[in-house]
Amino acid sequence: MLNRIVVINSELYAKAAISIGDSNSIQLAAENNVGKSSFLNTLNFLYIVDKEQMRFEDNRKLSESMKHYFGGSSIYSFIIFEIFSNGYYCILVKATPENTLEYYKISGEYKEDFFVEKLSDGGFKPKKWETA
């Protein structure tokens, strides 16, 4: 079961997260043009296998939406889906420098300090994500 969605360093969000947990439904309410639909459309990355079938705002395709979701920086932008199914694991989605997608499975629940570094001024900066 999808438990949490986290978007880090996209064109719209420095960091955005929503916990779903055992909720039967979720309501997103905010002013127009603040990213509600963009956030919901991250589900494309989890549920749609054929990248050509992904559709985003105004019927845009994935190739037209990569910068929007990955902020133009493939090593500092990612989407994380926390899943609970016989234990926790996360699926991390990131863009490559070639503008394709990479998926990683990470054992355990989402831990923010694995993805962002907290700064002394109370802010944060995304950590660089590279494969070992």
Side-chain angles (χ1 to χ4, degrees), residues 35-97:
K36 297 179 301 294
S37 295
S38 292
F39 199 76
L40 287 174
N41 282 326
T42 62
L43 294 172
N44 275 294
F45 297 102
L46 182 62
Y47 291 116
I48 307 220
V49 176
D50 182 353
K51 307 300 180 258
E52 293 299 317
Q53 297 299 315
M54 289 184 179
R55 291 295 180 270
F56 300 91
E57 293 82 20
D58 298 325
N59 205 32
R60 290 187 190 111
K61 293 184 178 184
L62 175 62
S63 59
E64 301 167 293
S65 300
M66 288 292 286
K67 183 179 178 196
H68 182 78
Y69 286 93
F70 298 100
S73 174
S74 61
I75 58 174
Y76 294 105
S77 300
F78 19 90
I79 300 168
I80 302 114
F81 300 100
E82 181 187 68
I83 314 273
F84 183 80
S85 178
N86 296 322
Y88 284 99
Y89 66 93
C90 294
I91 297 176
L92 179 136
V93 184
K94 71 179 268 318
T96 67

